[in-house]
Each structure stands twice: as structure tokens, then as C-alpha cells.
Amino acid sequence: MCGNNMSAPLPAIVPAARKATAAVIFLHGLGDTGHGWAEAFAGIRIPHVKYICPHAPTQPVSLNMRMSMPSWFDIYGLNPDAEEDSSGIKRASENIKALIDQEVKNGIPSHRIMLGGFSQASANSANKDMHVLQCHGDADPLVPFIFGSQTAEKMKSLINPANITFKSYRGLPHSACPEEMVDVKRFIEKQLPPITDL
């Protein structure tokens, strides 16, 4: 990653098919890498969008008996009141900001950069007008469906509720499916349309 001090390899990138006027930075989930997501985005590529799929550093994860695996930060538990790795989250946020800053230096305006992820969620007062597509399988054994719907409701209290779209997928476990990827593509197309005055 640009400005990376997390000892992770360079991100997997799907370049825009023509001049990049928008970018999607997509974070993988625990134990995964950016490679599979780059492949998924290559399958739904939008010509003017560059897809950046960084890799989390490999580090011990408390939730998994301190086994080392790709993780953006340590995870102590999955229950809603579990302690959080504040310093790890801050470090990961700084590295993601470095990726965003690099794309701005590459000529993509910050309002044309979308941040997404698998098994991720964040909102604060600085981005109250952002649009959110949250997808969740109703058969997810790792992150129960109720957590997804509770997250969507919480997000509605943090940002404009009209900008939140929560989609569920029948029978989908903790993974993605073609129907979901089509929904993601449509969301990106709507939020990051081509710039016609180039």
C-alpha cells in the first residue's frame, strides 16, 4: 500500500479500461486477501473505474486463538459489546487514507473515490451524506443476519437514512454471490457515473 507501514503486499488492482475518473477501494474480510475481490470486480468492471483491493497485514487475531492471518486490526470478539482494537483500527484507517491520498495525487477527485468492504462498517459526522449499500446473506453463520440488520438501523441514526440501502440474499452464507455483485455494480454505476466532459 502507498504509505504502508503495515507490512502488507501492494494492493491487487483492476485498472480502468479507459482513463480512470473514479476509484473503488475495497477491503477484504478477516483471513482473506484482495486478490479474490479484484477478480470479482474484474468481472463487473465499469470502464472509467479503477478498483483497488489492498491486502491486510498478517497478524495474530485474538478471536482465532491468536493465529496469524490477514486482518486489518485485532478482533477480540464478535458480540456487539466486545472490546475493540482502537490503535489497530487507527493504524488501518491511516493506511486507507494514504491509499485515498495517492488516488487524489493520481488525479481522481476525492468525491469520486468510493470505499467499500466485505464484513466492514463505519460512519462518522464527516460523511453524513454518503450513500451506503449494505448487503447481507440471511444464512451467514459468522456474522448473524440480525447483526447486519441492526447495523443498518444504527447507520440510519448516523447518516441520512434515505441514503442507506440494505439488501439481503436468501440462503447466502458469509460470502458473496452473483446477484449481490450485480447489485454492487449498479450501486457503483449510480454513485460514480462517467464524466462526459473529458
Side-chain angles (χ1 to χ4, degrees), residues 15-36:
R18 58 180 193 239
K19 179 178 171 41
T21 60
V24 171
I25 299 171
F26 193 87
L27 308 178
H28 63 76
L30 178 64
D32 201 357
T33 69
H35 293 297

Side-chain angles (χ1 to χ4, degrees), residues 18 21-22 46-49 112 188-189 192-198:
R18 58 180 193 239
T21 60
I46 300 166
H48 65 279
V49 178
R112 305 254 321 143
I188 294 169
E189 287 172 328
L192 300 173
I195 296 175
T196 56
D197 62 345
L198 289 179

Side-chain angles (χ1 to χ4, degrees), residues 56-132:
T58 298
Q59 59 187 330
V61 176
S62 298
L63 176 71
N64 290 341
M65 299 177 290
R66 306 268 320 139
M67 286 178 32
S68 288
M69 62 187 58
S71 181
W72 300 108
F73 46 84
D74 196 5
I75 300 172
Y76 305 121
L78 291 179
N79 55 332
D81 55 345
E83 184 182 344
E84 291 185 338
D85 177 14
S86 300
S87 63
I89 292 169
K90 184 176 188 304
R91 203 169 35 254
S93 297
E94 289 166 354
N95 281 281
I96 294 162
K97 184 177 182 325
L99 283 172
I100 293 168
D101 290 345
Q102 184 59 50
E103 291 310 305
V104 170
K105 285 180 191 168
N106 290 343
I108 298 176
S110 62
H111 71 277
R112 305 254 321 143
I113 299 172
M114 181 181 289
L115 181 62
F118 181 82
S119 208
Q120 316 284 326
S122 176
N124 63 42
S125 60
N127 51 16
K128 288 182 86 58
D129 291 325
M130 73 177 178
H131 290 259
V132 173

